[in-house]
Amino acid sequence: MPQRTPTHRKPAVRMLSDAFQAFYEFHRPGYLAYAAAHLSDDEARIAVTHTFSLIAADWPQTVTQPNPAAYAWDLHTHFVTARTGTHNDPQQDTLLLYERLHLTIVRIAALTGTEPAAVAALLAAAQR
């Protein structure tokens, strides 16, 4: 019997893996920058690998969430804060992404699964 290679995957499996790959490529740089702002370089890479391993292990669960980006961001920030012994603070996270990592409001919204208006409100509150 011939061996199946990744190019012979069923269309549904290929679509899921292509969707995960696109999600990974879009979110990984921001996740890594966020983690690196809190952790050593090695620990930041571990945090990102851990986050995407969880997401990949149950990709169907992720994409059936009301907001997959928010779900994934929550997984990531909780893992990072667990490693640092701190607590999750959306205002401070948004400020960090905007001021220190130089992400736009639109990019922050896409990365965190938050509406741009909510990101602007978080920034305004954090800057007071």
Side-chain angles (χ1 to χ4, degrees):
M1 176 167 223
Q3 237 181 341
R4 287 185 169 232
T5 62
T7 58
H8 293 102
R9 291 180 288 181
K10 294 180 180 178
V13 173
R14 186 172 46 248
M15 186 172 78
L16 280 176
S17 62
D18 289 348
F20 173 78
Q21 188 64 34
F23 187 89
Y24 173 82
E25 289 175 7
F26 181 80
H27 288 88
R28 185 184 178 282
Y31 281 30
L32 185 57
Y34 173 84
H38 294 284
L39 303 166
S40 70
D41 289 344
D42 287 341
E43 289 216 6
R45 283 190 293 277
I46 290 167
V48 173
T49 299
H50 175 76
T51 298
F52 283 106
S53 294
L54 290 175
I55 294 167
D58 200 3
W59 180 242
Q61 169 68 21
T62 300
V63 296
T64 59
Q65 294 297 312
N67 186 332
Y71 173 78
W73 180 253
D74 191 51
L75 285 175
H76 184 56
T77 57
H78 279 88
F79 184 76
V80 170
T81 57
R83 300 289 288 185
T84 62
T86 61
H87 68 281
N88 191 359
D89 185 337
Q91 284 183 0
Q92 290 304 309
D93 288 347
T94 302
L95 192 62
L96 171 95
L97 294 168
Y98 185 75
E99 289 189 349
R100 195 161 152 208
L101 302 179
H102 308 289
L103 301 182
T104 66
I105 288 174
V106 171
R107 178 70 173 114
I108 294 167
L111 186 69
T112 63
T114 309
E115 292 295 322
V119 171
L122 285 168
L123 280 173
Q127 293 171 330
R128 285 187 210 153

